[in-house]
Amino acid sequence: MPRVAKSAGESGLVYVVWEITLACDHACDHCGSRAGRARENELTTSEALDVVRQLAEMGAHEVTLIGGEAYLRDDWTTIAAAIAKSGMRCTMTTGGRGVTKERAREAKAAGIESVSVSVDGLRASHDMLRGVAGSFDSAIAAIEALREAGVKTSANTQLNRLSYRDLDPLLDRFIELGVTGWQMQLTVPMGRAADRPEWLLQPYELLDVYERVAEIARRGAKSGVLFWPANNIGYFGPYETLLRGRGVAEDRAWGGCVAGKHALGLESNGDLKGCPSLPTSEYVSGNVRERSIREMWERAPELRFVRDRATELWGYCKDCYYADICRAGCNWTAHVFFGKPGNNPYCHHRALEHDRRGLRERLVQVERAPGTPFDHGRFEIVVEPRDLPGEPTKRRLDVVP
């Protein structure tokens, strides 16, 4: 989930990610929501505008419109304009395939301040992940169209075995394009990504990954491309301050999940959860057609579990030195691996500690996902010697299995 950078108002709510439609013009093999067709019961325009009113009354600072693809909803600019006129910052995340120069101008006119375009590697990797030939070129064209229209642009990238090999040349491209920020997020097994476990990084590979990402953050900052780590990157390794400090070494570190504490996720049918990435079946607190957002925010346990520190830690995270602060990191990441939060295998500190003991962790899928939006399967952790007989000590991550 994207960052929360501003202080909270009286309700505590700062940031909202709003899926206004599940319709999509891509067929991404790593899509957590398995987007494609619109939901049958998506909010009407009047219902959506009432959501805007409620969020503004609660003091939300920023609302990011997503999909699917937000622009595939006919009233997307109406919703965006209402957000901006209500005093909230309106932003958008897009795959960019349909962001023409006209749509870019419409975004600017509606008051959308910034757009993050998804770019998951260079052409070959990106098009493979996105499932549509030519989608990389469309994403680059979208960045250019948005900049021409006067909309601030950033990029976001799924970090996995396909995209990892392209990080350095991708940064070069972003510098040329004038991209101002770059968010990375580790791909985890939700939705269609659960069907491609061979694309996922193993926990021990993070030792190489974070070293490279740290260098990206340093180099990017020198050229005006600030690094923004998603909530499942990092955790108390030697690059924590650098990564969370946007590559300029600010005094920042992971302070715990903000789902339902400072952030909300809203599905296009009005279902509400603490983070847009969390599995629907386990984390929806209710629907905006039936209950007010404030009531759910204040009372629903599905939104309060972070505030109430209700997550039970288990496995390695239970006895970790950083347990009280970290609370097992990103709840979404842990849940989609194991079917419950409280034990996060994508932790830099954890990988370093295992490596120091001559061990490593490996994730093995034991249950497949059922095939519904925001679904997940189940994995098990294997703890084994770091250097297995007959296996190279250092795996080449630029080689895709």
Side-chain angles (χ1 to χ4, degrees):
M1 186 179 70
R3 72 261 180 196
V4 173
K6 295 185 178 180
S7 59
E10 55 85 18
S11 69
L13 178 60
V14 178
Y15 185 63
V16 181
V17 179
W18 186 356
E19 169 209 282
I20 60 174
T21 181
L22 201 59
C24 192
D25 51 15
H26 274 106
C28 302
D29 274 338
H30 59 300
C31 178
S33 65
R34 298 184 185 268
R37 295 183 179 181
R39 301 178 195 268
E40 294 181 0
N41 56 344
E42 294 185 343
L43 297 178
T44 65
T45 301
S46 61
E47 289 171 332
L49 295 179
D50 187 62
V51 166
V52 174
R53 176 190 62 78
Q54 292 185 62
L55 295 176
E57 288 179 354
M58 291 179 67
H61 290 290
E62 180 177 346
V63 180
T64 296
L65 301 181
I66 65 169
E69 274 293 355
Y71 58 70
L72 293 180
R73 184 172 164 132
D74 291 341
D75 59 358
W76 69 286
T77 54
T78 300
I79 297 171
I83 293 168
K85 289 176 182 177
S86 296
M88 298 178 288
R89 184 169 185 257
C90 184
T91 56
M92 188 168 81
T93 298
T94 177
R97 188 179 177 200
V99 178
T100 59
K101 291 186 176 182
E102 180 181 0
R103 278 199 173 121
R105 290 191 293 268
E106 290 174 350
K108 177 66 175 179
I112 294 177
E113 294 185 25
S114 176
V115 175
S116 179
V117 180
S118 301
V119 186
D120 295 320
L122 299 179
R123 185 174 288 105
S125 300
H126 178 95
D127 286 5
M128 180 181 293
L129 282 161
R130 293 273 154 183
V132 177
S135 61
F136 174 80
D137 294 332
S138 296
I140 299 302
I143 292 173
E144 294 172 335
L146 288 161
R147 286 196 62 223
E148 183 179 319
V151 179
K152 185 178 179 181
T153 58
S154 60
N156 62 86
T157 297
Q158 286 283 320
L159 186 50
N160 50 51
R161 190 157 286 121
L162 273 71
S163 61
Y164 173 80
R165 58 190 175 186
D166 294 343
L167 295 184
D168 288 298
L170 200 54
L171 174 59
D172 293 335
R173 194 67 184 272
F174 290 155
I175 293 170
E176 293 173 2
L177 290 166
V179 167
T180 59
W182 187 8
Q183 184 180 63
M184 290 187 202
Q185 175 174 278
L186 291 167
T187 302
V188 299
M190 170 179 270
R192 295 191 192 111
D195 304 335
R196 303 302 298 260
E198 71 275 12
W199 288 357
L200 305 179
L201 293 164
Q202 289 290 346
Y204 61 89
E205 293 172 331
L206 298 180
L207 299 176
D208 294 333
V209 169
Y210 285 142
E211 188 174 306
R212 188 168 181 182
V213 170
E215 183 54 37
I216 291 284
R218 291 190 191 97
R219 190 161 69 89
K222 294 177 181 178
S223 300
V225 182
L226 297 183
F227 179 82
W228 292 91
N231 284 358
N232 69 358
I233 281 183
Y235 312 131
F236 306 106
Y239 309 119
E240 178 72 3
T241 298
L242 174 71
L243 296 181
R244 300 210 177 275
R246 309 173 205 173
V248 292
E250 295 180 9
D251 186 18
R252 301 185 66 177
W254 171 252
C257 179
V258 297
K261 183 178 182 181
H262 299 307
L264 275 179
L266 186 64
E267 295 184 1
S268 59
N269 64 352
D271 283 345
L272 198 69
K273 50 191 180 182
C275 165
S277 300
L278 287 168
T280 297
S281 59
E282 295 96 339
Y283 289 95
V284 166
S285 62
N287 191 282
V288 298
R289 289 181 170 124
E290 300 165 358
R291 301 169 66 188
S292 72
I293 296 175
R294 183 179 288 274
E295 179 189 358
M296 288 185 277
W297 177 261
E298 293 176 349
R299 300 182 183 179
E302 295 88 351
L303 295 185
R304 293 191 57 90
F305 72 99
V306 170
R307 281 175 279 169
D308 295 341
R309 297 174 68 85
T311 299
E312 181 180 351
L313 303 186
W314 59 281
Y316 184 93
C317 291
K318 181 179 180 180
D319 300 314
C320 179
Y321 176 81
Y322 297 105
D324 191 55
I325 299 172
C326 184
R327 303 298 298 169
C330 174
N331 287 284
W332 162 57
T333 298
H335 196 115
V336 298
F337 271 115
F338 307 124
K340 61 179 180 179
N343 187 24
N344 188 342
Y346 274 175
C347 168
H348 196 190
H349 168 73
R350 176 171 172 163
L352 286 165
E353 286 298 294
H354 277 100
D355 187 67
R356 185 173 62 84
R357 296 181 176 93
L359 301 172
R360 71 180 191 181
E361 289 184 315
R362 183 164 50 87
L363 295 162
V364 180
Q365 189 176 44
V366 295
E367 183 180 318
R368 294 186 63 83
T372 56
F374 297 101
D375 64 347
H376 58 88
R378 189 170 59 85
F379 285 67
E380 289 184 350
I381 298 176
V382 176
V383 181
E384 59 193 11
R386 178 187 57 206
D387 304 318
L388 294 176
E391 181 177 294
T393 301
K394 214 164 180 134
R395 176 170 187 157
R396 288 182 58 207
L397 281 175
D398 58 345
V399 177
V400 181

Short mmCIF file of all heavy atoms in Angstrom, two decimals, residues 125-180:
data_model
loop_
_atom_site.label_atom_id
_atom_site.label_comp_id
_atom_site.label_asym_id
_atom_site.label_seq_id
_atom_site.Cartn_x
_atom_site.Cartn_y
_atom_site.Cartn_z
N SER A 125 9.89 -7.77 -19.95
CA SER A 125 9.38 -8.15 -18.63
C SER A 125 8.02 -7.53 -18.36
O SER A 125 7.09 -8.20 -17.89
CB SER A 125 10.37 -7.73 -17.54
OG SER A 125 11.62 -8.35 -17.72
N HIS A 126 7.91 -6.24 -18.66
CA HIS A 126 6.66 -5.53 -18.41
C HIS A 126 5.50 -6.15 -19.20
O HIS A 126 4.43 -6.43 -18.65
CB HIS A 126 6.81 -4.06 -18.78
CG HIS A 126 5.56 -3.25 -18.61
ND1 HIS A 126 5.31 -2.53 -17.46
CD2 HIS A 126 4.49 -3.05 -19.43
CE1 HIS A 126 4.14 -1.93 -17.58
NE2 HIS A 126 3.64 -2.22 -18.77
N ASP A 127 5.72 -6.37 -20.50
CA ASP A 127 4.63 -6.91 -21.32
C ASP A 127 4.26 -8.33 -20.90
O ASP A 127 3.09 -8.72 -20.96
CB ASP A 127 5.03 -6.89 -22.80
CG ASP A 127 5.01 -5.49 -23.39
OD1 ASP A 127 4.77 -4.53 -22.62
OD2 ASP A 127 5.24 -5.35 -24.60
N MET A 128 5.24 -9.11 -20.44
CA MET A 128 4.93 -10.45 -19.96
C MET A 128 4.08 -10.39 -18.70
O MET A 128 3.08 -11.11 -18.57
CB MET A 128 6.22 -11.23 -19.70
CG MET A 128 5.97 -12.65 -19.19
SD MET A 128 7.51 -13.56 -18.85
CE MET A 128 8.16 -13.71 -20.52
N LEU A 129 4.46 -9.53 -17.76
CA LEU A 129 3.71 -9.40 -16.52
C LEU A 129 2.32 -8.83 -16.77
O LEU A 129 1.34 -9.26 -16.14
CB LEU A 129 4.46 -8.50 -15.54
CG LEU A 129 5.64 -9.14 -14.81
CD1 LEU A 129 6.57 -8.06 -14.26
CD2 LEU A 129 5.14 -10.03 -13.69
N ARG A 130 2.22 -7.88 -17.67
CA ARG A 130 0.95 -7.19 -17.91
C ARG A 130 0.02 -7.94 -18.86
O ARG A 130 -1.15 -7.61 -18.98
CB ARG A 130 1.23 -5.79 -18.47
CG ARG A 130 1.91 -4.88 -17.46
CD ARG A 130 0.92 -4.17 -16.59
NE ARG A 130 1.49 -3.80 -15.29
CZ ARG A 130 0.82 -3.22 -14.32
NH1 ARG A 130 -0.46 -2.94 -14.48
NH2 ARG A 130 1.39 -2.93 -13.17
N GLY A 131 0.55 -8.93 -19.56
CA GLY A 131 -0.31 -9.77 -20.38
C GLY A 131 -0.78 -9.15 -21.68
O GLY A 131 -1.67 -9.69 -22.34
N VAL A 132 -0.20 -8.00 -22.07
CA VAL A 132 -0.62 -7.32 -23.31
C VAL A 132 0.63 -6.79 -24.01
O VAL A 132 1.37 -5.98 -23.45
CB VAL A 132 -1.58 -6.15 -23.03
CG1 VAL A 132 -1.93 -5.43 -24.32
CG2 VAL A 132 -2.84 -6.64 -22.34
N ALA A 133 0.86 -7.24 -25.23
CA ALA A 133 1.98 -6.73 -26.01
C ALA A 133 1.79 -5.24 -26.28
O ALA A 133 0.69 -4.79 -26.60
CB ALA A 133 2.09 -7.49 -27.33
N GLY A 134 2.85 -4.48 -26.10
CA GLY A 134 2.78 -3.04 -26.32
C GLY A 134 2.44 -2.23 -25.08
O GLY A 134 2.41 -1.00 -25.13
N SER A 135 2.20 -2.90 -23.95
CA SER A 135 1.79 -2.17 -22.76
C SER A 135 2.93 -1.33 -22.18
O SER A 135 2.69 -0.29 -21.58
CB SER A 135 1.23 -3.13 -21.71
OG SER A 135 2.20 -4.07 -21.30
N PHE A 136 4.18 -1.77 -22.37
CA PHE A 136 5.31 -0.97 -21.89
C PHE A 136 5.35 0.36 -22.64
O PHE A 136 5.48 1.44 -22.03
CB PHE A 136 6.62 -1.72 -22.09
CG PHE A 136 7.85 -0.89 -21.76
CD1 PHE A 136 8.24 -0.73 -20.44
CD2 PHE A 136 8.59 -0.29 -22.77
CE1 PHE A 136 9.37 0.03 -20.13
CE2 PHE A 136 9.71 0.47 -22.46
CZ PHE A 136 10.10 0.63 -21.14
N ASP A 137 5.23 0.31 -23.95
CA ASP A 137 5.24 1.54 -24.74
C ASP A 137 4.08 2.45 -24.36
O ASP A 137 4.23 3.68 -24.32
CB ASP A 137 5.19 1.22 -26.23
CG ASP A 137 6.45 0.49 -26.70
OD1 ASP A 137 7.52 0.69 -26.11
OD2 ASP A 137 6.34 -0.30 -27.66
N SER A 138 2.93 1.85 -24.04
CA SER A 138 1.77 2.64 -23.62
C SER A 138 2.03 3.33 -22.29
O SER A 138 1.63 4.48 -22.08
CB SER A 138 0.53 1.76 -23.51
OG SER A 138 0.17 1.22 -24.76
N ALA A 139 2.69 2.62 -21.37
CA ALA A 139 2.97 3.21 -20.07
C ALA A 139 3.92 4.40 -20.20
O ALA A 139 3.73 5.44 -19.56
CB ALA A 139 3.57 2.15 -19.15
N ILE A 140 4.95 4.24 -21.03
CA ILE A 140 5.89 5.34 -21.24
C ILE A 140 5.19 6.52 -21.91
O ILE A 140 5.40 7.69 -21.54
CB ILE A 140 7.09 4.88 -22.09
CG1 ILE A 140 7.85 3.75 -21.38
CG2 ILE A 140 8.02 6.05 -22.40
CD1 ILE A 140 8.36 4.10 -20.01
N ALA A 141 4.32 6.24 -22.88
CA ALA A 141 3.57 7.30 -23.55
C ALA A 141 2.64 8.01 -22.56
O ALA A 141 2.42 9.23 -22.67
CB ALA A 141 2.77 6.72 -24.71
N ALA A 142 2.09 7.26 -21.60
CA ALA A 142 1.21 7.85 -20.60
C ALA A 142 1.98 8.84 -19.73
O ALA A 142 1.49 9.94 -19.41
CB ALA A 142 0.60 6.75 -19.74
N ILE A 143 3.20 8.46 -19.33
CA ILE A 143 4.03 9.37 -18.53
C ILE A 143 4.29 10.66 -19.30
O ILE A 143 4.17 11.77 -18.76
CB ILE A 143 5.36 8.69 -18.14
CG1 ILE A 143 5.10 7.54 -17.16
CG2 ILE A 143 6.33 9.70 -17.54
CD1 ILE A 143 6.32 6.70 -16.85
N GLU A 144 4.61 10.52 -20.58
CA GLU A 144 4.90 11.70 -21.40
C GLU A 144 3.65 12.56 -21.58
O GLU A 144 3.73 13.80 -21.51
CB GLU A 144 5.44 11.24 -22.75
CG GLU A 144 6.81 10.57 -22.65
CD GLU A 144 7.27 9.93 -23.96
OE1 GLU A 144 6.40 9.58 -24.79
OE2 GLU A 144 8.49 9.79 -24.14
N ALA A 145 2.49 11.94 -21.78
CA ALA A 145 1.24 12.69 -21.96
C ALA A 145 0.86 13.44 -20.69
O ALA A 145 0.42 14.59 -20.73
CB ALA A 145 0.12 11.74 -22.37
N LEU A 146 1.03 12.80 -19.55
CA LEU A 146 0.69 13.43 -18.27
C LEU A 146 1.62 14.61 -17.98
O LEU A 146 1.16 15.67 -17.53
CB LEU A 146 0.77 12.40 -17.15
CG LEU A 146 -0.35 11.35 -17.16
CD1 LEU A 146 0.03 10.13 -16.33
CD2 LEU A 146 -1.66 11.96 -16.63
N ARG A 147 2.90 14.43 -18.23
CA ARG A 147 3.84 15.53 -18.02
C ARG A 147 3.51 16.70 -18.94
O ARG A 147 3.56 17.86 -18.53
CB ARG A 147 5.28 15.07 -18.26
CG ARG A 147 5.83 14.17 -17.16
CD ARG A 147 7.34 14.06 -17.26
NE ARG A 147 7.98 15.36 -17.09
CZ ARG A 147 8.99 15.80 -17.83
NH1 ARG A 147 9.47 15.08 -18.81
NH2 ARG A 147 9.53 16.98 -17.60
N GLU A 148 3.16 16.40 -20.17
CA GLU A 148 2.80 17.45 -21.12
C GLU A 148 1.57 18.21 -20.66
O GLU A 148 1.44 19.42 -20.88
CB GLU A 148 2.55 16.83 -22.50
CG GLU A 148 2.24 17.84 -23.60
CD GLU A 148 2.02 17.17 -24.95
OE1 GLU A 148 2.77 16.23 -25.27
OE2 GLU A 148 1.09 17.59 -25.67
N ALA A 149 0.65 17.51 -19.99
CA ALA A 149 -0.58 18.14 -19.51
C ALA A 149 -0.38 18.88 -18.19
O ALA A 149 -1.29 19.53 -17.69
CB ALA A 149 -1.66 17.09 -19.34
N GLY A 150 0.82 18.77 -17.61
CA GLY A 150 1.11 19.47 -16.37
C GLY A 150 0.78 18.69 -15.12
O GLY A 150 0.66 19.27 -14.03
N VAL A 151 0.65 17.37 -15.25
CA VAL A 151 0.36 16.52 -14.10
C VAL A 151 1.67 15.91 -13.60
O VAL A 151 2.42 15.33 -14.38
CB VAL A 151 -0.63 15.39 -14.47
CG1 VAL A 151 -0.90 14.50 -13.25
CG2 VAL A 151 -1.93 15.97 -15.01
N LYS A 152 1.92 16.02 -12.32
CA LYS A 152 3.11 15.43 -11.73
C LYS A 152 3.06 13.92 -11.89
O LYS A 152 2.02 13.30 -11.66
CB LYS A 152 3.19 15.80 -10.25
CG LYS A 152 4.45 15.35 -9.55
CD LYS A 152 4.44 15.82 -8.09
CE LYS A 152 5.67 15.36 -7.36
NZ LYS A 152 5.65 15.80 -5.92
N THR A 153 4.17 13.31 -12.28
CA THR A 153 4.17 11.87 -12.54
C THR A 153 5.20 11.15 -11.67
O THR A 153 6.28 11.66 -11.39
CB THR A 153 4.48 11.56 -14.02
OG1 THR A 153 5.75 12.12 -14.36
CG2 THR A 153 3.40 12.11 -14.93
N SER A 154 4.82 9.95 -11.26
CA SER A 154 5.73 9.04 -10.58
C SER A 154 5.52 7.66 -11.18
O SER A 154 4.68 7.47 -12.06
CB SER A 154 5.47 9.03 -9.06
OG SER A 154 4.14 8.61 -8.79
N ALA A 155 6.29 6.70 -10.71
CA ALA A 155 6.18 5.34 -11.23
C ALA A 155 6.07 4.37 -10.07
O ALA A 155 6.50 4.65 -8.95
CB ALA A 155 7.38 4.99 -12.10
N ASN A 156 5.48 3.22 -10.33
CA ASN A 156 5.45 2.16 -9.34
C ASN A 156 5.78 0.84 -10.03
O ASN A 156 5.43 0.63 -11.19
CB ASN A 156 4.11 2.09 -8.62
CG ASN A 156 2.96 1.77 -9.55
OD1 ASN A 156 2.67 0.62 -9.84
ND2 ASN A 156 2.29 2.81 -10.05
N THR A 157 6.49 -0.03 -9.31
CA THR A 157 6.99 -1.26 -9.90
C THR A 157 6.80 -2.43 -8.96
O THR A 157 7.10 -2.34 -7.77
CB THR A 157 8.49 -1.13 -10.23
OG1 THR A 157 8.68 -0.09 -11.21
CG2 THR A 157 9.06 -2.43 -10.77
N GLN A 158 6.29 -3.53 -9.50
CA GLN A 158 6.22 -4.79 -8.77
C GLN A 158 7.61 -5.42 -8.81
O GLN A 158 8.17 -5.63 -9.89
CB GLN A 158 5.20 -5.73 -9.43
CG GLN A 158 3.76 -5.34 -9.18
CD GLN A 158 3.30 -5.72 -7.79
OE1 GLN A 158 3.63 -6.78 -7.28
NE2 GLN A 158 2.52 -4.86 -7.18
N LEU A 159 8.15 -5.72 -7.64
CA LEU A 159 9.50 -6.26 -7.56
C LEU A 159 9.43 -7.78 -7.42
O LEU A 159 8.99 -8.31 -6.41
CB LEU A 159 10.22 -5.63 -6.37
CG LEU A 159 11.70 -5.95 -6.16
CD1 LEU A 159 12.50 -5.73 -7.43
CD2 LEU A 159 12.25 -5.09 -5.03
N ASN A 160 9.86 -8.46 -8.47
CA ASN A 160 9.81 -9.92 -8.51
C ASN A 160 10.97 -10.43 -9.37
O ASN A 160 11.84 -9.66 -9.77
CB ASN A 160 8.45 -10.40 -9.03
CG ASN A 160 8.07 -9.71 -10.33
OD1 ASN A 160 8.85 -9.66 -11.28
ND2 ASN A 160 6.88 -9.12 -10.36
N ARG A 161 10.96 -11.70 -9.66
CA ARG A 161 12.09 -12.27 -10.39
C ARG A 161 12.19 -11.75 -11.82
O ARG A 161 13.28 -11.71 -12.40
CB ARG A 161 12.00 -13.80 -10.36
CG ARG A 161 13.26 -14.47 -10.89
CD ARG A 161 13.44 -15.88 -10.40
NE ARG A 161 13.86 -15.90 -9.01
CZ ARG A 161 13.18 -16.51 -8.05
NH1 ARG A 161 12.05 -17.10 -8.32
NH2 ARG A 161 13.64 -16.50 -6.82
N LEU A 162 11.08 -11.32 -12.42
CA LEU A 162 11.13 -10.78 -13.78
C LEU A 162 11.62 -9.35 -13.80
O LEU A 162 12.45 -8.98 -14.63
CB LEU A 162 9.74 -10.87 -14.43
CG LEU A 162 9.39 -12.17 -15.16
CD1 LEU A 162 9.16 -13.29 -14.15
CD2 LEU A 162 8.15 -11.98 -16.03
N SER A 163 11.10 -8.52 -12.90
CA SER A 163 11.42 -7.09 -12.94
C SER A 163 12.78 -6.76 -12.33
O SER A 163 13.39 -5.75 -12.68
CB SER A 163 10.33 -6.29 -12.21
OG SER A 163 10.25 -6.66 -10.85
N TYR A 164 13.27 -7.63 -11.44
CA TYR A 164 14.52 -7.34 -10.73
C TYR A 164 15.68 -7.06 -11.67
O TYR A 164 16.48 -6.14 -11.44
CB TYR A 164 14.85 -8.53 -9.81
CG TYR A 164 16.20 -8.42 -9.14
CD1 TYR A 164 16.36 -7.62 -8.00
CD2 TYR A 164 17.30 -9.12 -9.63
CE1 TYR A 164 17.61 -7.53 -7.38
CE2 TYR A 164 18.54 -9.02 -9.01
CZ TYR A 164 18.68 -8.23 -7.89
OH TYR A 164 19.91 -8.13 -7.28
N ARG A 165 15.77 -7.81 -12.75
CA ARG A 165 16.92 -7.68 -13.66
C ARG A 165 16.92 -6.35 -14.41
O ARG A 165 17.94 -5.96 -14.99
CB ARG A 165 16.87 -8.83 -14.67
CG ARG A 165 15.58 -8.87 -15.48
CD ARG A 165 15.45 -10.13 -16.30
NE ARG A 165 14.16 -10.21 -16.99
CZ ARG A 165 13.74 -11.26 -17.67
NH1 ARG A 165 14.52 -12.31 -17.79
NH2 ARG A 165 12.56 -11.26 -18.25
N ASP A 166 15.79 -5.64 -14.39
CA ASP A 166 15.65 -4.41 -15.18
C ASP A 166 15.77 -3.13 -14.36
O ASP A 166 15.60 -2.03 -14.90
CB ASP A 166 14.29 -4.39 -15.89
CG ASP A 166 14.16 -5.47 -16.94
OD1 ASP A 166 15.18 -6.02 -17.37
OD2 ASP A 166 13.00 -5.78 -17.33
N LEU A 167 16.02 -3.22 -13.07
CA LEU A 167 15.92 -2.04 -12.20
C LEU A 167 16.87 -0.92 -12.60
O LEU A 167 16.47 0.25 -12.66
CB LEU A 167 16.18 -2.44 -10.74
CG LEU A 167 15.15 -3.38 -10.12
CD1 LEU A 167 15.49 -3.62 -8.65
CD2 LEU A 167 13.73 -2.84 -10.25
N ASP A 168 18.11 -1.22 -12.87
CA ASP A 168 19.07 -0.16 -13.18
C ASP A 168 18.75 0.56 -14.49
O ASP A 168 18.69 1.80 -14.51
CB ASP A 168 20.49 -0.73 -13.21
CG ASP A 168 20.99 -1.06 -11.81
OD1 ASP A 168 21.09 -0.15 -10.99
OD2 ASP A 168 21.26 -2.24 -11.54
N PRO A 169 18.53 -0.16 -15.60
CA PRO A 169 18.17 0.57 -16.81
C PRO A 169 16.81 1.26 -16.72
O PRO A 169 16.57 2.27 -17.38
CB PRO A 169 18.17 -0.51 -17.90
CG PRO A 169 18.05 -1.81 -17.18
CD PRO A 169 18.72 -1.60 -15.87
N LEU A 170 15.93 0.73 -15.87
CA LEU A 170 14.63 1.37 -15.69
C LEU A 170 14.79 2.71 -14.99
O LEU A 170 14.12 3.70 -15.36
CB LEU A 170 13.71 0.45 -14.88
CG LEU A 170 12.19 0.70 -14.97
CD1 LEU A 170 11.73 0.70 -16.42
CD2 LEU A 170 11.45 -0.36 -14.16
N LEU A 171 15.67 2.78 -14.02
CA LEU A 171 15.94 4.07 -13.39
C LEU A 171 16.47 5.07 -14.40
O LEU A 171 16.07 6.24 -14.40
CB LEU A 171 16.94 3.89 -12.24
CG LEU A 171 17.41 5.19 -11.57
CD1 LEU A 171 16.25 5.97 -10.99
CD2 LEU A 171 18.44 4.89 -10.49
N ASP A 172 17.36 4.63 -15.27
CA ASP A 172 17.88 5.53 -16.30
C ASP A 172 16.74 6.10 -17.14
O ASP A 172 16.73 7.29 -17.46
CB ASP A 172 18.86 4.78 -17.20
CG ASP A 172 20.14 4.37 -16.48
OD1 ASP A 172 20.50 5.03 -15.50
OD2 ASP A 172 20.76 3.36 -16.91
N ARG A 173 15.78 5.25 -17.47
CA ARG A 173 14.65 5.69 -18.29
C ARG A 173 13.80 6.70 -17.52
O ARG A 173 13.35 7.71 -18.08
CB ARG A 173 13.82 4.47 -18.70
CG ARG A 173 12.81 4.77 -19.81
CD ARG A 173 13.53 5.10 -21.11
NE ARG A 173 12.62 5.47 -22.17
CZ ARG A 173 12.05 4.60 -23.01
NH1 ARG A 173 12.31 3.31 -22.89
NH2 ARG A 173 11.25 5.02 -23.95
N PHE A 174 13.58 6.46 -16.22
CA PHE A 174 12.77 7.37 -15.42
C PHE A 174 13.45 8.73 -15.28
O PHE A 174 12.78 9.77 -15.27
CB PHE A 174 12.50 6.77 -14.04
CG PHE A 174 11.57 5.59 -14.05
CD1 PHE A 174 11.62 4.65 -13.04
CD2 PHE A 174 10.64 5.43 -15.06
CE1 PHE A 174 10.76 3.57 -13.04
CE2 PHE A 174 9.77 4.34 -15.08
CZ PHE A 174 9.83 3.41 -14.06
N ILE A 175 14.77 8.73 -15.17
CA ILE A 175 15.50 9.99 -15.10
C ILE A 175 15.29 10.78 -16.38
O ILE A 175 15.03 12.00 -16.35
CB ILE A 175 17.00 9.73 -14.83
CG1 ILE A 175 17.20 9.15 -13.43
CG2 ILE A 175 17.80 11.03 -14.99
CD1 ILE A 175 18.61 8.64 -13.17
N GLU A 176 15.38 10.11 -17.51
CA GLU A 176 15.16 10.77 -18.81
C GLU A 176 13.75 11.34 -18.92
O GLU A 176 13.55 12.42 -19.50
CB GLU A 176 15.39 9.77 -19.94
CG GLU A 176 16.82 9.29 -20.10
CD GLU A 176 16.93 8.17 -21.12
OE1 GLU A 176 15.88 7.82 -21.73
OE2 GLU A 176 18.02 7.62 -21.31
N LEU A 177 12.77 10.63 -18.36
CA LEU A 177 11.37 11.02 -18.47
C LEU A 177 10.96 12.10 -17.47
O LEU A 177 9.87 12.64 -17.55
CB LEU A 177 10.47 9.80 -18.29
CG LEU A 177 10.48 8.77 -19.42
CD1 LEU A 177 9.82 7.47 -18.96
CD2 LEU A 177 9.75 9.32 -20.65
N GLY A 178 11.81 12.38 -16.50
CA GLY A 178 11.47 13.38 -15.50
C GLY A 178 10.52 12.88 -14.43
O GLY A 178 9.81 13.67 -13.79
N VAL A 179 10.50 11.57 -14.21
CA VAL A 179 9.68 11.00 -13.15
C VAL A 179 10.22 11.46 -11.80
O VAL A 179 11.43 11.47 -11.58
CB VAL A 179 9.70 9.45 -13.24
CG1 VAL A 179 9.13 8.81 -11.99
CG2 VAL A 179 8.94 9.00 -14.47
N THR A 180 9.32 11.85 -10.88
CA THR A 180 9.76 12.45 -9.63
C THR A 180 9.88 11.46 -8.47
O THR A 180 10.56 11.72 -7.48
CB THR A 180 8.80 13.57 -9.20
OG1 THR A 180 7.48 13.03 -9.07
CG2 THR A 180 8.79 14.68 -10.25
#
